[in-house]
Amino acid sequence: MAWDLVLHAGLFAGVAGVLAHVADVLTCFAAHPELEPLFSVPSDILDFDKASAMMARKALWELALGHILALICIPAGFAGSYLIFHVVRPRFHRLRWPLVVMLFCFYVSGALMHCTFTFVGLMASTQPQFAGSELAAKVRPFFEIICSLVGQVGMLPGSVAVFLVFASGATTLPRWTCFACPGLIQLLVELAAQRTPFALRMYLLVTIYNLSSGIWHLTLAFAYYRTRGCGSSCATSRELGRQQGAMGRTEARRAVKQGCSPRCKEA
């Protein structure tokens, strides 16, 4: 099989997201019984006091290894924008660079947010009186601003935009790929988390931001792999059909006869 940079960019980003979720487990995961009343939805992770309590018992090696892994793997997820750039249909080409810039901002700010978690975890695990201290009062505003901007204010419109791009057929990938968008996965976790055992709930809450990114990119890579054989020629023929009327539609039908699959025609 010939090397396909677009496909491998998506796979690379997916693996990076999965490894970044391992970094989340190392840095944040804790399922101590006394924490159960504090955590029920993903936004609880972004609360300064709850995050401090969650990471107070983390070992230094966990924080250090998780931090290194996060700094490598979270920004590496940006590689997936190469696949997204190339699957946007030609007539929607104006969406390509805005999507790339948006994803760049998300992954860079995601790494920054993880840095704040690591710092809070380091202070909470090494200073028993960190909660309520003067240092905590100084760190709290920075932590809360970063988490609010990345995890809430920026996440909602970005997730909606990504969902609409894939659901509207603006890409050559099947429309069902919109259901793998990170925002939708996070919403499903928020709805289901309260009904799961506490240990599983904590695992989902602390990992869902990066894990959903990995799932998304792997899904896009899978869909691209299934359609890449005929996606380009079929998409081009459909564009000609819209632009050239009956003659273009004839070209589209000819492309289908030459081997385009029904899945590609629905993309």
Side-chain angles (χ1 to χ4, degrees):
M1 180 177 66
W3 176 270
D4 188 330
L5 186 58
V6 175
L7 173 63
H8 286 84
L11 292 173
F12 179 82
V15 173
V18 174
L19 292 177
H21 115 280
V22 175
D24 291 333
V25 171
L26 289 169
T27 305
C28 302
F29 177 76
H32 309 301
E34 63 270 21
L35 297 176
E36 185 169 1
L38 301 178
F39 297 93
S40 57
V41 293
S43 58
D44 290 331
I45 302 296
L46 308 180
D47 181 272
F48 179 79
D49 293 323
K50 295 178 180 180
S52 300
M54 176 179 64
M55 296 184 287
R57 300 186 188 179
K58 300 301 291 186
L60 291 181
W61 73 265
E62 291 179 296
L63 293 171
L65 181 58
H67 184 55
I68 293 172
L69 197 59
L71 288 183
I72 295 172
C73 296
I74 294 178
F78 178 64
S81 64
Y82 187 76
L83 184 151
I84 295 171
F85 183 93
H86 282 83
V87 299
V88 173
R89 296 184 186 278
R91 67 192 182 101
F92 296 106
H93 66 92
R94 290 185 178 85
L95 295 176
R96 288 172 175 167
W97 282 111
L99 284 171
V100 170
V101 172
M102 181 183 71
L103 291 174
F104 176 81
C105 293
F106 273 136
Y107 286 108
V108 171
S109 58
L112 176 61
M113 185 169 76
H114 199 280
C115 288
T116 64
F117 270 91
T118 301
F119 179 77
V120 171
L122 181 63
M123 294 297 101
S125 62
T126 57
Q127 299 186 24
Q129 305 303 320
F130 177 69
S133 67
E134 182 179 353
L135 177 59
K138 292 180 179 179
V139 174
R140 179 192 296 270
F142 180 79
F143 179 89
E144 292 181 343
I145 289 173
I146 293 297
C147 289
S148 177
L149 288 176
V150 180
Q152 296 175 327
V153 176
M155 184 65 68
L156 179 59
S159 297
V160 171
V162 167
F163 180 86
L164 291 177
V165 166
F166 286 89
S168 65
T171 75
T172 59
L173 299 181
R175 293 174 189 262
W176 59 259
T177 53
C178 68
F179 294 112
C181 292
L184 186 59
I185 296 175
Q186 292 164 22
L187 176 61
L188 293 176
V189 167
E190 182 165 353
L191 295 174
Q194 299 181 37
R195 300 174 178 83
T196 59
F198 177 58
L200 176 59
R201 184 198 317 165
M202 286 300 296
Y203 168 77
L204 292 173
L205 295 183
V206 301
T207 63
I208 192 56
Y209 289 104
N210 287 316
L211 183 59
S212 62
S213 173
I215 294 172
W216 181 45
H217 286 299
L218 289 175
T219 301
L220 297 185
F222 170 76
Y224 173 80
Y225 175 77
R226 295 294 302 272
T227 60
R228 64 175 181 165
C230 56
S232 177
S233 62
C234 188
T236 301
S237 296
R238 284 196 298 270
E239 294 298 327
L240 287 173
R242 296 186 183 97
Q243 296 172 9
Q244 300 177 6
M247 182 178 296
R249 288 192 292 272
T250 300
E251 292 297 324
R253 287 193 294 269
R254 184 178 303 167
V256 172
K257 291 179 181 179
Q258 290 175 353
C260 284
S261 66
R263 183 179 293 104
C264 181
K265 290 187 287 182
E266 294 170 2

